Amino acid sequence: MELSCGVGGSAAAPPGPGPPHHPPAAAPAPPMEGEEYESLPSGASLGTHMMAGAVAGIMEHTVMYPVDSVKTRMQSLQPDPKAQYRSVYEALKKIVLTEGFWRPLRGINVTMLGAGPAHAMYFACYEKMKKSLSDTLQHGGNSHLANGVAGSVATLLHDAVMNPAEVVKQRMQMFNSPYKSVLACIRTVQKTEGFGAFYRSYTTQLTMNVPFQAIHFITYEFMQEQINPHREYNPRSHIISGAIAGAVAAAATTPLDVCKTLLNTQENTALSSVNISGHLSGMVNAFKTVYQLGGISGYFRGVQARVIYQMPSTAIAWSVYEFFKYFLTKRKLEKRTSL
C-alpha cells in the first residue's frame, strides 16, 4: 500500500472503499507544487517527530552493533596480534570463538541510552529546518542546499548527546578492554581524565559528521527524487536510498572517523610508539598521529567495515522513520474520514 501525503494541503484518503452508509467524499484537491511526503502531517507535535526519530535511532545503532564493534577494532593503528583481522566476517567469527558469543555486543546499552534522545533531536531539528529553509530558498520545493544545511545543524544537537556515549562505547569495544562495565568505564574515565575526556573528540566528530550528514541527506533526497518522485510511502525506495546515502557518506568520511576513534580510545600502544605521553587531543594532532603510524592508508583503516555498517544501518533508520511517518499520517487520515 502506498500513501502520498502533502505537507500543507488535503491528503488523499487511504485506499479501499469507505463505509456504505457514508455519502461519497469530495475529491481531494491536487497537491500543490513542492508538496511532499517527507514531512510529518501538518499539526504533528514536536513529540511525534521525536518519538519517530528515537525509535529509528535505536534500531539503527543496535541492529548493526556487532559490525560497529569490528569497525572500531579494525581502525586500531597498532592492534594486538590477537586482534588483527582481514575481513568483517573473519573478525566476528574470531571474536565470538575466542572472547565469547556476547563480546561483539559489549557497550550496546550505553549506545541505546544515547541513541534515543540524540536521534529524537536530530530528526525533529532536521524536519523543522528543512521545511523552513525549503520554503525560503525554493518556495516549498525540494532544495538540496536546505537538506544539507538542515542535516548539518541537526548534527550539532545529535553529537552533543551522542559523543560521551561514543567514548564509552568504543573503549568497551576495544580488544582487552580493562573496563568491566559501562558504569566502571564512566567512573574511571571521569576520575583519571576528567569530564573533558567525554568531549575530547567532539570537534573531530563534528568535522566528520557535518560533511557526513550533508552528503547523507543530499544523497538520500536525490535518490528519492529519482526512484520515488511522488514521495509516496514506499519501503523499498527508502531502504535503497538510505543504503546508498550511507555508503557514499561513509566512504567519503572514513579518514575523519579513524581520527575520531583514536581520540576516543586513546590507544596506548599506538601513542607510545610515536613517543606521545599523556592524552592525545585535537583534530590536527590526531591527523598527524594517524599519518605517522599508518601513512595515507592509515586514514582508510576499517573502510570496508564502516561501509558495511553504514549501508544497512542508514537503510534501517530511514525505513523505520518513514514507516512511523506513514503510520501517523494514516491514523490522522482515518480520524478525518471517520468524522
Side-chain angles (χ1 to χ4, degrees), residues 51 62 98 170 180 190 219 221 250 258 310 320:
M51 182 180 70
T62 55
T98 60
Q170 291 196 307
K180 301 297 181 185
Q190 167 68 29
T219 305
E221 300 285 1
V258 172
Q310 285 294 347
V320 171

Side-chain angles (χ1 to χ4, degrees), residues 232-290:
E232 298 166 326
Y233 175 64
N234 184 333
R236 183 172 65 178
S237 80
H238 303 317
I239 290 170
I240 293 171
S241 298
I244 292 173
V248 171
T253 58
T254 294
L256 292 161
D257 193 44
V258 172
C259 295
K260 183 208 75 173
T261 298
L262 180 61
L263 289 170
N264 278 347
T265 60
Q266 295 293 307
E267 196 180 335
N268 291 328
T269 305
L271 298 183
S272 298
S273 67
V274 288
N275 299 317
I276 294 177
S277 57
H279 304 299
L280 183 70
S281 62
M283 182 182 65
V284 174
N285 290 333
F287 262 96
K288 289 178 180 177
T289 305
V290 171

Side-chain angles (χ1 to χ4, degrees), residues 9-21:
S10 301
H21 58 277

Side-chain angles (χ1 to χ4, degrees), residues 56 59-61 64 308-318:
M59 289 292 290
E60 172 188 355
H61 283 281
M64 295 300 296
I308 289 174
Y309 167 75
Q310 285 294 347
M311 284 186 73
S313 65
T314 47
I316 289 166
W318 277 111

Side-chain angles (χ1 to χ4, degrees), residues 72-316:
T72 296
R73 292 196 181 191
M74 292 183 80
Q75 288 180 334
S76 172
L77 296 168
Q78 294 285 338
D80 187 285
K82 296 178 182 177
Q84 294 182 356
Y85 317 108
R86 288 173 295 182
S87 68
V88 175
Y89 174 74
E90 180 201 4
L92 280 172
K93 182 179 177 181
K94 191 173 181 179
I95 291 170
V96 168
L97 291 176
T98 60
E99 301 175 52
F101 181 78
W102 299 108
R103 188 63 178 80
L105 296 177
R106 202 158 186 262
I108 193 173
N109 46 351
V110 73
T111 298
M112 292 176 68
L113 286 172
H119 280 73
M121 291 189 292
Y122 171 72
F123 275 108
C125 177
Y126 172 69
E127 291 281 13
K128 178 67 176 175
M129 282 209 66
K130 171 185 146 185
K131 185 177 186 307
S132 299
L133 289 172
S134 291
D135 287 344
T136 302
L137 297 172
Q138 204 141 327
H139 307 293
N142 182 39
S143 165
H144 291 306
L145 178 59
N147 299 333
V149 172
S152 299
V153 175
T155 301
L156 298 175
L157 293 175
H158 173 275
D159 287 1
V161 174
M162 203 65 190
N163 205 91
E166 281 282 312
V167 172
V168 176
K169 177 201 78 172
Q170 291 196 307
R171 294 195 184 210
M172 298 287 290
Q173 288 173 332
M174 292 296 283
F175 178 75
N176 264 348
S177 172
Y179 309 106
K180 301 297 181 185
S181 67
V182 166
L183 281 177
C185 181
I186 294 171
R187 287 171 182 160
T188 303
V189 172
Q190 167 68 29
K191 184 178 179 181
T192 59
E193 303 177 43
F195 179 77
F198 295 108
Y199 283 93
R200 189 178 284 129
S201 67
Y202 185 57
T203 53
T204 301
Q205 180 104 334
L206 287 177
T207 304
M208 175 187 74
N209 279 348
V210 167
F212 176 93
Q213 298 301 350
I215 295 168
H216 166 208
F217 281 113
I218 289 171
T219 305
Y220 179 82
E221 300 285 1
F222 173 78
M223 290 302 302
Q224 284 291 287
E225 284 183 342
Q226 305 308 308
I227 62 178
N228 188 18
H230 300 298
R231 299 304 176 104
E232 298 166 326
Y233 175 64
N234 184 333
R236 183 172 65 178
S237 80
H238 303 317
I239 290 170
I240 293 171
S241 298
I244 292 173
V248 171
T253 58
T254 294
L256 292 161
D257 193 44
V258 172
C259 295
K260 183 208 75 173
T261 298
L262 180 61
L263 289 170
N264 278 347
T265 60
Q266 295 293 307
E267 196 180 335
N268 291 328
T269 305
L271 298 183
S272 298
S273 67
V274 288
N275 299 317
I276 294 177
S277 57
H279 304 299
L280 183 70
S281 62
M283 182 182 65
V284 174
N285 290 333
F287 262 96
K288 289 178 180 177
T289 305
V290 171
Y291 185 76
Q292 281 180 278
L293 291 165
I296 296 297
S297 62
Y299 294 115
F300 292 92
R301 292 186 71 87
V303 64
Q304 178 198 40
R306 180 165 162 77
V307 171
I308 289 174
Y309 167 75
Q310 285 294 347
M311 284 186 73
S313 65
T314 47
I316 289 166

Side-chain angles (χ1 to χ4, degrees), residues 29-45:
M32 295 172 59
E33 185 181 354
E35 288 184 344
E36 55 175 338
Y37 172 68
E38 289 301 305
S39 292
L40 281 164
S42 58
S45 67

